[in-house]
């Protein structure tokens, strides 16, 4: 039993490798682009004629910065697609499509609940009871700031449903929707409920992440030990990316 759990957790970890392989390139593009379009940097080194507004290199660097930034801004959906791809046993392309649709369905459900609960007001502003940073925009949808956790949840649920239903048989009258065509349908419906569940439980999880982040920052050497222990204990499972959530807890 334990070996099966360990195997599943390792498989989840391996599914992170693909999106993680893109991050160094995105970081280089963002770092170089942002650094050399910074007005202070340009002024300090007297590079106005080479890197100033309107120059060719300035335009190239702005594009580099924008490309790097958009990758980091969309990590949740990138992880949703990658986890579904890595966890699906067969018909992986179908799993990826279903994961993209599921991600949109989940966040749209959260958006609707935020409006119904009064956290997003009719004029588009946020209520005074909404914590700063608790709501973000993802793929053009205002939703809870769940970071890569939201994407991982979508990827795992999609992969589970895909593996269970990609050979699903239906009555003859509905046979067109059988097999792989059934997967996106069931995934979208399921993620309406996933979005509703996350809407109610994520604020508590978010508060817990904030609390752990604050504890680590306020605990001196003990906090350093906790942070290092959390990082190292996840390495055997391939989940060491998770520790960054506590490192950047205020941004999750």
């Amino acid at each position: 039993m334990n070996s099966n759990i360990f195997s599943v957790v390792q498989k989840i970890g391996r599914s992170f490798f693909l999106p993680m392989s893109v991050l160094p390139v995105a970081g280089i593009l963002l770092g170089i682009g942002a650094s050399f379009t910074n007005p202070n940097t340009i002024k300090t080194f007297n590079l106005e004629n080479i890197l100033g507004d309107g120059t060719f290199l300035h335009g190239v660097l702005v594009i580099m910065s924008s490309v790097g930034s958009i990758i980091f801004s969309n990590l949740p959906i990138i992880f949703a697609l990658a986890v579904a791809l890595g966890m699906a046993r067969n018909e992986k392309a179908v799993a990826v499509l279903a994961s993209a649709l599921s991600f949109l369905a989940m966040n749209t459900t959260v958006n609707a609940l935020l409006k119904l609960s009064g956290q997003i007001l009719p004029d588009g502003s946020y209520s005074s009871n909404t914590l700063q940073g608790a709501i973000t925009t993802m793929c053009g949808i205002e939703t809870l700031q769940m970071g890569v956790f939201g994407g991982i949840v979508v990827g795992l649920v999609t992969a589970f449903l895909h593996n269970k239903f990609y050979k699903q048989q239906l009555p003859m009258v509905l046979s067109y929707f059988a097999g792989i065509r059934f997967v996106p349908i069931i995934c979208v419906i399921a993620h309406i409920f996933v979005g509703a569940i996350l809407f109610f439980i994520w604020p508590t999880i978010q508060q817990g992440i904030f609390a752990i982040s604050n504890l680590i920052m306020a605990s001196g050497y003990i906090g350093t030990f906790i942070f290092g222990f959390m990082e190292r204990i996840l390495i055997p499972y391939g989940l060491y990316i998770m520790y960054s959530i506590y490192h950047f807890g205020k941004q999750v």
Side-chain angles (χ1 to χ4, degrees), residues 170-194:
L170 295 174
M172 185 61 65
V173 69
L174 298 174
S175 59
Y176 176 80
F177 301 102
I180 59 174
R181 295 186 184 92
F182 185 72
V183 174
I185 297 171
I186 191 65
C187 285
V188 167
I189 294 172
H191 279 86
I192 294 174
F193 296 97
V194 171

Side-chain angles (χ1 to χ4, degrees), residues 114-183:
L114 287 170
K115 292 178 178 178
L116 290 171
S117 64
Q119 295 183 57
I120 297 180
L121 302 176
D123 61 0
S125 63
Y126 304 147
S127 73
S128 58
N129 297 326
T130 302
L131 293 176
Q132 183 177 4
I135 297 176
T136 188
T137 300
M138 180 58 55
C139 298
I141 306 168
E142 286 186 302
T143 183
L144 290 175
Q145 174 61 286
M146 292 180 279
V148 296
F149 266 150
I152 292 170
V153 169
V154 169
L156 290 175
V157 174
T158 299
F160 171 78
L161 294 173
H162 171 80
N163 291 334
K164 186 176 180 63
F165 292 111
Y166 78 96
K167 292 184 178 180
Q168 180 69 33
Q169 298 298 312
L170 295 174
M172 185 61 65
V173 69
L174 298 174
S175 59
Y176 176 80
F177 301 102
I180 59 174
R181 295 186 184 92
F182 185 72
V183 174

Side-chain angles (χ1 to χ4, degrees), residues 11-21 79 82-83 152 238-242:
K11 190 173 182 180
I12 295 172
R14 286 195 298 270
S15 69
F16 294 165
F17 290 168
L18 183 59
M20 287 175 62
S21 67
F79 271 84
V83 170
I152 292 170
L239 299 176
Y240 45 89
I241 190 174
M242 294 295 196

Side-chain angles (χ1 to χ4, degrees), residues 23 75 79 148 209 213 227 230-231 234 239-252:
L23 298 186
L75 280 180
F79 271 84
V148 296
I209 293 173
S213 300
F227 177 77
M230 289 169 60
E231 176 190 4
L234 291 173
L239 299 176
Y240 45 89
I241 190 174
M242 294 295 196
Y243 82 95
S244 62
I245 290 171
Y246 298 100
H247 190 187
F248 303 106
K250 289 296 184 184
Q251 301 176 24
V252 174

